Amino acid sequence: KNQVEQSPQSLIILEGKNCTLQCNYTVSPFSNLRWYKQDTGRGPVSLTIMTFSENTKSNGRYTATLDADTKQSSLHITASQLSDSASYICVVSEGREYGNKLVFGAGTILRVKS
Amino acid sequence: DGGITQSPKYLFRKEGQNVTLSCEQNLNHDAMYWYRQDPGQGLRLIYYSQIVNDFQKGDIAEGYSVSREKKESFPLTVTSAQKNPTAFYLCASSQTSGSFDEQYFGPGTRLTVT
C-alpha cells in the first residue's frame, strides 16, 4: 500500500532555532516529492518539489533533501520565525501514465515560540 | 486577483440535508480536484476532473457528487449518504493532470453537520 509517514507528529521550538522534519514513503512507482506548508484553516502552499535525480532543493530558509534509495526526505528550517508555525505536509506523486495521483502524509505541526 | 476561491468558509447543516460547496478558479487550469482533510490524517482525494464535462472518482467518492460544466467551476455536493461529512474540504487545480504539475489549493470550507 502506498503510504507517506511523517515524524515527529508535532514539534515546538524557540524562535531563531533550526529544525528538521522527516518523511518516509513507500509510494511506487515514484514520480516526485513535494513539501507543502499549511497555515491553520487555510489551504496548503507548495514549498519545494523534487524529482528522483534531485538530492536537495532550497526555498529561502527551507531546504528539502531526498534520498530515493532509502525513500526518505527531510525538510530543514533555518533560523525559524514565528510565521513558520504551521503544518508541514510531505506529498509523494505516484508515477502514472495518465493523471497525477498524490499521496499525502498527515503532516508535522510546528509551533515556533518567542 | 488570480487563484482559487471556495465558499463559504464555514458551513453548518443538519444531518440528512444535502449541501453544495463552491470552488472557482481563474487560473485557466484544466484539472481540478476535491480533497477531504480530517485531523491527524493526510488529505484524501474525493473526485477529480481532468477536463470540462469529465470527472473521475477518487479514493473516497461514496456519498459525494460533482459536476464540471465550466472550466472554472467544480462544485462538490455532500449528500445525506455520506456517513461522516464533518470535515475540512479543500479544492485544488493544476494546469493539467500531469505528474509534475503544481496543484494550487483554495482556502478550504469547514463543514459541520449536526
Side-chain angles (χ1 to χ4, degrees), chain A residues 31-32 34 36 38 41-44 46 49 51 89 93-96 98-102 104-106, chain B residues 9 33 35 37 40-43 45 48 50 59 88 90 97-103 105-107 110:
Chain A
S31 176
N32 57 75
R34 311 155 187 230
Y36 281 86
Q38 184 178 22
R42 307 292 298 272
S46 177
I49 177 170
T51 62
I89 303 173
S93 179
E94 185 183 319
R96 291 184 169 186
Y98 300 106
N100 179 13
K101 174 68 186 296
L102 299 184
F104 290 80
Chain B
K9 189 168 179 62
Y33 312 81
Y35 292 94
Q37 187 174 35
Q41 295 188 43
L43 273 68
L45 182 64
Y48 66 100
Q50 294 178 300
D59 299 320
F88 189 51
L90 287 160
S97 58
S99 295
F100 293 92
D101 279 10
E102 180 71 62
Q103 285 194 18
F105 287 84
R110 185 166 299 280

Side-chain angles (χ1 to χ4, degrees), chain A residues 54-70:
Chain A
E54 294 175 294
N55 300 118
T56 185
K57 183 164 277 190
S58 292
N59 178 359
R61 293 179 297 102
Y62 301 103
T63 299
T65 65
L66 173 64
D67 185 336
D69 291 331
T70 61

Side-chain angles (χ1 to χ4, degrees), chain B residues 1 5 11 23 38 42-43 45 47 53 73 83 92 97 101:
Chain B
D1 186 23
T5 57
L11 193 53
C23 177
D38 295 285
L43 273 68
L45 182 64
Y47 268 98
N53 292 321
S73 179
K83 299 294 184 219
S97 58
D101 279 10

